[in-house]
Each structure stands twice: as C-alpha cells, then as structure tokens.
Amino acid sequence: MEHSDGHEAQVNETSLSRLRSFRHPGAGEKQAKATPKGRIVDPHARDEVETLLGDRPRRRDLLIEHLHLIQDAYGQISAAHLAALADIMRLAFAEVYEVATFYAHFDVVKEADAPIPPLTVRVCDSIACALLGSEKLLGELRQSLGADVRVVRAPCVGLCDQAPAVEIGHHFVHRADVTAVEQAVRSGHTHPEIPAYIDYAAYLGGGGYALLERVRSGVLPAEAVLTALEAGGLRGLGGAGFPTGRKWRSVLGEPGPRLMAVNADEGEPGTFKDRYFLYADPHRVLEGMLIGAHVAEVNDIYVYLRDEYPIGREILRRELAKLPAGGPRIHLRRGAGAYICGEESSMLESIEGKRGLPRQKPPYPFQVGLFGRPTLINNVETLFWVRDIIEKGASWWAGHGRNGSKGLRSFSVSGRVREPGVKIAPAGITVRELIDEFCGGMQPDHRFTAYLPGGASGGILPATMADIPLDFGTLEKYGCLIGSAAVVILSDHDDVREAARNLMRFFESESCGQCTPCRSGTQKARMLMEQPVWDRELLGDLSAVMRDASICGLGQAAPNPVDCVIRYFPEAFETEGGLK
C-alpha cells in the first residue's frame, strides 16, 4: 500500500510538471485565465437579495415572486442579482435568466448594458389607446421627459375605457396627455390610489357569505349547487365558454388532492371587466371562489392576478387577511406582463414559477393541472355570478337574456362611444343596442363604421352587421368570437386596416415563441400587412397554417382581424394600396 501511494504521487507530480510546462503551438506566452467555470456570485448582491427575500421560502414555484421583489426594489434586475438569486434558490443561472427575460415587466440588465434610468414610463399602444392618440403621445413624451426617464411602449394595461393610458411605476395616468404625465413624473407618485369598494364588513352586512355557510354546513349540498349552475347555464366568461357546472363536476370526479386556480390575468386588448369586479365588489368573487373550492374539495387556491392591476392586488391582500380561519389556503400570485398567461395552461406554468408556455393537451388541466394535480380553473366574472344564480335561481338568470340567449354579461366597451366602460347587459344584446342603450351613443362627429365583438382575437365586423346577437355560438359563422366580450367601437375617423395591423403587432409581440406557426406566422403576417398592397393568397395561407398548427388559442385566433378586413371591408383597399 505504501509503495502504491508513493508511486501514484510520483506519477501525479510528473504529470503536473509536464502540464505546467506545456504550451500549445502558436499560443506564445499567453496564459490561461485563472477563472473557475460558472458564474461567480457577488457577495454584496447576494446579501441584497437575501435581505429582500427575508424569511420567504426559497421554493422553485416562488421564482417569479422573488424576481418581482428585486424589480420593485431596484427598478431593474441586474445580472449580479440574477446570479445571486439563482445561487440562493439553488437553480441554474440559465433557468432563472430564461424566466426573467420571458416577462415584459422584468427589466433585465445584462453585464454589458448601460443601467436603466431610475424611472420607466410605459405608454399603452393597444387598439383602444391607439385610436385615441397613444402613438403621438409616445413620441411627445420621449422628447419632453429627458434622458433620466425611460419611455417605452406597453401592451394593453386594462384601462381601455380611459384611453390613452400611461403607467408610471405602479401609478396610472388616465386619459393621459403630455402635461398630465409630466406632472405625475414630477410628483414622484408611483403607487396606486385605492378607490372605495365593498369591504368585508360591508359585504357581510349585505348578506355576504351566508350562502357559503349553507354550503359548508351541508344545508345546501354540493349536488344542489352543481344542479343550480347547470340549470342556469353559467359558462366560463373568460372567453372559452365551457359550462361551469360541468367543469366543477369533472374536477370533483378526479382523484384528490385537487387544486383551484383563479384566472385574473385578462390581457386581451379591450378587456377590463376583471378590474371592474375586483375593484368594486371583491368578496362576491371570493365567495364564488370558496363555494367552488368546497364543492370540488380543494384545500389550496391560487389567484393569478395580472401585474397591471396593482390596485386589485392591494385590495385582495387586505381583504383576504380578513377572511376567517379554517378555509382553504389562498395564495395570491402576481403575473409579470405576458398576455399568453391568460391561456389556462400557460397560467399554470407561470404559477409554478416558469415561463408561460402553453401545454400540449390532453391531458387537460382538470385531469393534470397545477403541480400535476387535478385543477379547477375559473375566471373572475364566472365566480362573480355564482352567488346570484344559486340564491335567485336559474329562471332569474335566464330571464335576462335577449335574442334567445340566457343570462347577463359584462361587456367591456371602449373606442368611439360617449360613455365607455363595463356594461352589465343581457347576453345576446346587439352592438347597436349596446351603443344606444348603455353607452350614450357615439362620440360627437363620429359615425359608427366597425367594431371588434370580442377583443383583439375576436375579429372585426362592419357596422352593417351590427344586429348580430353578442353571445357564444352567434359569431363563429362570420369568422369572429365573443371571447371575453371586449367590444371596441371604430368610427369614420379610424383606419380599419391600421386597426388590424395594430392587433397583429400585438400578437407578434405577445407570442410565447414555442411553436413556429404562431411565432413566425404573426411576424410574416405583420410584415405583409405593412405593405401598400396586401397579398390575399399568401395571407390566406398563413392564416390556415396558424389556425391548424398553433399550439394554443393565440396563434389560432390571431388571423381573425386580417381575415375579417379582407372579407368585410373591400372599400379599405380602394383608397390605400389594394389586394392582389
């Protein structure tokens, strides 16, 4: 043994000596850098991140929450902070980097980049804000605010009824102009102002949570709840329209443990109904949520709220703390600026702390959802109506529809109407009725010419088709969708071709990039639409490929606006370029 050890030591020493004297041909006297592989963690940056995290768990699914802490504290996320966070969470740097750079609200600064100015002003450039001058406002602000303020474009921020909207930190300027934004910047006010709303005490005073107690006590059995929802015909009002009672029953039929996810990540340009419900009557949403959790026998609920709604986040934080102990655990998760996360499986990926890439289906989320468990997913508006339908009955709900439809819908109306906003109106109402009865008509000197019946992905129809009932199943034969009932009104002051281009730019920017038909298709379509003459055949081929081969609804619905403009607005090609 002694001889063996000595021999090995002699061989190793000889080998080391030869390695030390080795020079690669042509290398000259250049020495290799004595830098270890991997990324060195800056101790100071590590201390800063540790301080921000405090006693929060270092779990993988909290990665996005931890990135928000850094972004909020420093207005950006440096490479040093990314490396420190990766080290603290025991993750690969690449894994943290790919998540941070996926979301628009994380300003990741590479080592070679210049520091980001301390204040960022985001100007919404989506359809409703574009109609009201956001492009001009963007240019003016870049000239007036100076080098100490970064002015960037932002996709829809959910203030379409108060366009154009500008975000400064977590403070929003409604119906913004240069003067108002400059004043807001000078004031240094970057936090949201909380409006008056129905809080826990007021909700209890109005009979709130009595229904939940009846359900929990067994006075109203779970089967009776499911029967009421099925009889009422409540459907998923986030856009898909799946029957709510059937969804709850399907989740209950899967083996436990089960989870629940509340989708409050509305990002469709033109949609702002979740904001309306959460800012005004949050406990009605929460009661519907807790009833669903009880029926589906759920112990953990994850509420995924878009980052553009800091007021809603603060309201929920306050009111969730007031709920009595003993119910399911409720986890509030914050989005980070990704429209794709409104798609249910992308939302689940984001809740798990990953990039919001849609999952292949099947299996479906009710079978294999969040953290691999059967998951009940509902939209904010769907949960809002649960209490009314059960307490007032299916006949009450059905009695509100028009033109053969049942129930009520919240229509997010923006654009060229006198009184934009969320309108609680009968399902099946026509857009002409919606404008005249709920929106005060058109703005002065504006003639109604076109409308989006279902937000960016719902297509565009001419005013001559304004008598189609707005509901699930009524628009599909025209190449359109009701979706989340985001209605954007255009007038004779607007260019319908430019409206379609705006929507395609949005889809191109928001594509997650996972599948080629969507990633490349939206880019190619946008480029073709920017030409004076539109190539009808090539655009049609692109549309077909995107519809047939895209993984999720973003790519499948992105062609709707361009197809509609070509089909329904031939006059638009008589004055600008043409079709070939």
Side-chain angles (χ1 to χ4, degrees), residues 146-460:
D148 291 337
V149 178
R150 185 175 66 131
V151 181
V152 299
R153 297 177 182 273
C156 185
V157 297
L159 289 169
C160 314
D161 56 333
Q162 299 171 59
V166 172
E167 182 180 4
I168 305 170
H170 293 303
H171 173 71
F172 291 87
V173 181
H174 305 169
R175 298 183 177 88
D177 57 24
V178 173
T179 300
V181 174
E182 288 177 341
Q183 290 176 348
V185 169
R186 285 195 298 268
S187 72
H189 185 57
T190 58
H191 296 286
E193 298 176 0
I194 309 301
Y197 63 90
I198 300 173
D199 64 7
Y200 181 68
Y203 187 70
L204 283 180
Y209 291 113
L211 176 61
L212 175 63
E213 289 306 312
R214 290 175 61 208
V215 173
R216 284 179 171 173
S217 67
V219 172
L220 185 65
E223 182 58 34
V225 172
L226 294 171
T227 300
L229 294 178
E230 289 167 343
L234 180 64
R235 302 176 69 170
L237 300 177
F242 193 85
T244 302
R246 193 196 310 173
K247 177 182 283 190
W248 289 20
R249 195 181 292 279
S250 297
V251 174
L252 184 59
E254 294 294 316
R258 307 175 194 89
L259 299 174
M260 184 175 187
V262 177
N263 191 341
D265 190 55
E266 59 178 6
E268 180 89 2
T271 306
F272 45 92
K273 61 188 180 64
D274 289 0
R275 188 197 82 210
Y276 171 83
F277 292 119
L278 292 173
Y279 287 22
D281 198 357
H283 284 281
R284 191 171 294 266
V285 177
L286 295 178
E287 184 168 13
M289 176 186 79
L290 291 170
I291 290 170
H294 180 84
V295 169
E297 299 177 6
V298 164
N299 291 323
D300 285 273
I301 304 171
Y302 291 79
V303 180
Y304 189 83
L305 179 66
R306 70 181 302 197
D307 196 34
E308 292 87 348
Y309 289 169
I311 293 174
R313 188 167 62 253
E314 177 59 22
I315 289 173
L316 286 175
R317 188 191 66 78
R318 293 179 183 181
E319 299 308 309
L320 287 173
K322 298 175 184 178
L323 294 179
R329 292 177 293 271
I330 302 173
H331 312 268
L332 182 58
R333 293 296 176 87
R334 181 177 168 187
Y339 166 68
I340 190 65
C341 290
E343 193 275 336
E344 60 179 9
S345 66
S346 300
M347 176 188 69
L348 300 181
E349 289 287 296
S350 190
I351 292 173
E352 292 178 4
K354 306 171 187 174
R355 293 177 295 167
L357 302 181
R359 298 174 180 176
Q360 295 281 3
K361 301 172 185 177
Y364 296 95
F366 81 89
Q367 300 165 313
V368 180
L370 189 60
F371 305 118
R373 297 179 181 179
T375 303
L376 174 61
I377 302 174
N378 279 130
N379 168 266
V380 166
E381 184 185 1
T382 303
L383 297 173
F384 180 87
W385 292 117
V386 166
R387 176 186 166 190
D388 281 334
I389 291 175
I390 297 174
E391 288 185 338
K392 299 177 182 178
S395 59
W396 170 84
W397 179 251
H400 286 286
R402 289 188 188 178
N403 300 309
S405 295
K406 292 182 179 181
L408 294 166
R409 289 294 301 267
S410 63
F411 293 89
S412 305
V413 186
S414 62
R416 302 298 190 175
V417 293
R418 285 179 182 267
E419 302 167 10
V422 171
K423 312 298 178 180
I424 306 298
I429 193 172
T430 69
V431 73
R432 194 182 308 279
E433 294 168 335
L434 193 61
I435 294 171
D436 293 342
E437 297 177 31
F438 290 85
C439 302
M442 296 292 292
Q443 292 178 355
D445 302 321
H446 284 263
R447 179 174 57 85
F448 176 37
T449 59
Y451 68 104
L452 282 65
S457 58
I460 306 176

Side-chain angles (χ1 to χ4, degrees), residues 497 570-578:
R497 287 180 57 167
E571 69 280 1
F573 299 94
E574 296 173 359
T575 57
E576 180 191 345

Side-chain angles (χ1 to χ4, degrees), residues 13 23 71 74 89 120 163 180 231 260 390 455 459 467 476 480 493 511 523 539 550 564 572 580:
E13 182 59 36
R23 294 290 185 272
Q71 176 71 40
Y74 297 99
M89 297 187 70
T120 295
M260 184 175 187
I390 297 174
D467 296 315
E476 284 78 358
C480 296
H493 292 218
S511 172
Q523 180 191 53
L539 282 168
S550 294
C564 285
K580 69 173 183 178

Side-chain angles (χ1 to χ4, degrees), residues 7-20:
H7 175 70
E8 289 176 0
Q10 183 180 10
V11 171
N12 289 340
E13 182 59 36
T14 302
S15 300
L16 287 171
S17 178
R18 292 174 65 185
L19 285 170
R20 292 191 189 103

